[in-house]
Amino acid sequence: MTEICKFLKTGIMLSLLVLLGGTAAIAAEPVSVGPRPLYLIDDMDDGDLKEQLLQCRGMTAKSADFSIGHRGASLQFPEHTKEGYLAAARMGAGIIECDVTFTKDKELVCRHSQCDLHQTTDILSRPELAAKCSVPFSPASENGGKPNVKCCASDLTLAEFRTLRGKMDGANSKAETIADYLKGTPEWRTDLYATKATLMTHRESIALIDSLGLKFTPELKSVDVSMPYEGYSQGDYAKALIADYKAAGIDPARVFPQSFNLDDVLYWIEKEPEFGAQAVFLDGRYRGNRLNPDDRASFSPSMQELADKGVNYIAPPIWMLLSLDESGKIIPSAYAREAKKAGLKIITWTLERSGPLDEGGGWYYRSVQDAINNDGDVMTVLDVLAKEVGVVGVFSDWPATTTYYANCMGLN
């Protein structure tokens, strides 16, 4: 009789999920890391870390907050799409990012940049919407060797935005036609999963990620329009982001709002303290060489000054946290040590965004490029970030990699 009751209870629950649209059922799906983590581990130099990671290959994978889906799973799925978010969740990302910008009618949507629609959606193949772009397409032959175009979320209403379809981020910088311009996916990515790419509003991303039982890290993006925009101030913008989580009844402890603008972070700390406690300062002070990660004197404000302002989380790019010792071994940078000394929790970005690493790894590894010569070095870098720098989370374009590492090392 007990088994019959369990069966009936399960049937009732499944019926409720169907009535609710079936989204909650996704949360019950097992996490799968696929072949890539082991591909990377196989490519590692022989040593204790490689052996330790290989011993975890039979483990049952589970979600980990250490693993953050950067724009979803954008190594192979169009960024900020429903399909990309689901892929990130299925690879064990415990936290998923929606970069937040706004449309012409001030509705919040998930886009990495307010003006990236020409590179990340099909807007240019939609003449009625392409005509609304801030800068209509003109071919390379008319612009000194490069095509010129700029299409912004703020060029469209929400209703118009909803009709777009996502595509892999990229553009052909020598294109003479729109068709050629759209063929810009980097060769180490793929268009295989871009045939269906559903764009998301901020509220829709909240509903989806909530249904998966995961956490949120919305980034308030800088804008390309002048602020205030038709009476919409920066404060209104920062407030609106938090308001969507309040309206959805989301526990503030599940939300990590981010911004490169320190004033946004301080606004949340002051005006929305429950959410501000987990606000993340994305550190872009490397721009213009304003900050050298090995020169403490260039940290302005200092790590302690940030902490004194109420900042609890800081998030620089990977290379700012790493350096090389005299023997060429990867070690924490002065920046990493100072952040840790001030009690700041560190998140970093972005793993799996560099393509093959056989030539030094590119921009994300610029401070340690002399130690990077194969794809397996991703795992070595991840190990230093976790064990020596002490990061609490890593953004990845392919969260299976960070999930595998977190599961193997017992990280949440």
Side-chain angles (χ1 to χ4, degrees):
M1 186 60 122
T2 301
E3 294 302 317
I4 293 174
C5 290
K6 288 181 179 179
F7 176 80
L8 290 173
K9 184 177 180 181
T10 301
I12 291 169
M13 291 301 296
L14 289 173
S15 297
L16 285 172
L17 291 177
V18 171
L19 289 172
L20 291 170
T23 54
I26 297 167
E29 292 187 359
V31 171
S32 174
V33 295
R36 182 160 177 79
L38 283 169
Y39 165 81
L40 296 173
I41 294 165
D42 287 342
D43 197 42
M44 292 178 68
D45 298 335
D46 290 339
D48 292 343
L49 177 60
K50 181 175 182 176
E51 289 305 311
Q52 183 179 6
L53 291 170
L54 282 173
Q55 289 174 12
C56 295
R57 60 184 178 272
M59 66 185 175
T60 299
K62 61 181 181 179
S63 295
D65 291 352
F66 182 85
S67 180
I68 305 172
H70 182 241
R71 313 183 201 176
S74 52
L75 178 63
Q76 294 193 36
F77 287 79
E79 63 186 47
H80 295 309
T81 60
K82 178 181 178 181
E83 294 75 19
Y85 290 161
L86 290 177
R90 290 163 176 162
M91 284 188 272
I95 304 173
I96 296 177
E97 179 187 44
C98 165
D99 289 330
V100 180
T101 190
F102 58 84
T103 60
K104 186 175 184 179
D105 44 357
K106 309 183 194 73
E107 295 290 340
L108 301 185
V109 296
C110 298
R111 287 289 90 201
H112 176 62
S113 167
Q114 189 169 43
C115 296
D116 70 1
L117 299 186
H118 49 287
Q119 291 197 177
T120 63
T121 77
D122 65 346
I123 189 170
L124 293 181
S125 61
R126 307 279 299 283
E128 74 284 3
L129 296 180
K132 298 175 181 286
C133 290
S134 294
V135 179
F137 177 84
S138 59
S141 58
E142 296 180 8
N143 298 289
K146 288 187 178 181
N148 193 25
V149 63
K150 182 178 180 181
C151 302
C152 308
S154 51
D155 292 332
L156 305 180
T157 65
L158 178 60
E160 292 167 334
F161 176 88
R162 285 182 182 278
T163 68
L164 297 174
R165 191 186 76 192
K167 75 173 193 68
M168 291 300 288
D169 183 15
N172 180 351
S173 62
K174 298 180 180 180
E176 294 290 334
T177 66
I178 287 175
D180 284 342
Y181 183 82
L182 296 174
K183 297 175 183 177
T185 302
E187 62 182 14
W188 44 271
R189 291 181 179 163
T190 179
D191 290 310
L192 185 62
Y193 303 106
T195 56
K196 183 180 181 182
T198 310
L199 301 193
M200 303 286 286
T201 68
H202 183 225
R203 291 173 188 169
E204 287 167 346
S205 78
I206 293 172
L208 177 63
I209 296 167
D210 186 37
S211 76
L212 298 165
L214 303 176
K215 297 178 182 178
F216 315 80
T217 185
E219 180 188 337
L220 195 72
K221 301 301 297 186
S222 58
V223 298
D224 282 81
V225 296
S226 298
M227 296 291 270
Y229 173 71
E230 297 180 358
Y232 192 59
S233 69
Q234 187 69 23
D236 294 332
Y237 183 29
K239 181 178 180 180
L241 182 145
I242 300 299
D244 280 350
Y245 292 93
K246 289 182 172 180
I250 302 298
D251 182 349
R254 295 173 62 196
V255 185
F256 297 81
Q258 326 164 66
S259 181
F260 279 99
N261 182 352
L262 180 58
D263 287 342
D264 292 335
V265 175
L266 298 179
Y267 172 91
W268 291 322
I269 291 170
E270 178 184 358
K271 302 294 185 181
E272 303 285 357
E274 288 186 301
F275 291 88
Q278 296 195 138
V280 181
F281 174 41
L282 295 164
D283 198 346
R285 291 177 292 171
Y286 58 84
R287 296 170 182 146
N289 296 317
R290 289 180 294 152
L291 183 150
N292 178 343
D294 286 316
D295 179 10
R296 292 177 178 83
S298 70
F299 306 170
S300 180
S302 70
M303 300 299 181
Q304 189 58 55
E305 287 170 337
L306 288 172
D308 291 344
K309 292 175 183 290
V311 175
N312 291 320
Y313 289 84
I314 194 166
I318 289 170
W319 66 266
M320 286 177 61
L321 296 171
L322 304 176
S323 187
L324 297 176
D325 67 12
E326 293 181 356
S327 68
K329 179 184 176 182
I330 300 173
I331 60 172
S333 65
Y335 178 104
R337 296 194 297 271
E338 285 296 299
K340 195 171 183 179
K341 181 180 176 182
L344 296 175
K345 296 178 182 178
I346 306 170
I347 297 170
T348 194
W349 44 274
T350 303
L351 211 70
E352 299 281 44
R353 196 166 180 80
S354 301
L357 304 189
D358 55 354
E359 296 182 357
W363 189 84
Y364 289 96
Y365 300 88
R366 56 186 283 187
S367 61
V368 293
Q369 61 183 3
D370 289 344
I372 305 296
N373 57 35
N374 61 56
D375 289 345
D377 287 330
V378 167
M379 305 307 284
T380 302
V381 166
L382 196 51
D383 193 60
V384 174
L385 289 170
K387 293 178 181 175
E388 298 185 46
V389 175
V391 300
V392 298
V394 178
F395 282 91
S396 178
D397 279 10
W398 200 244
T401 302
T402 41
T403 298
Y404 185 102
Y405 178 87
N407 285 183
C408 189
M409 299 299 174
L411 304 175
N412 179 25

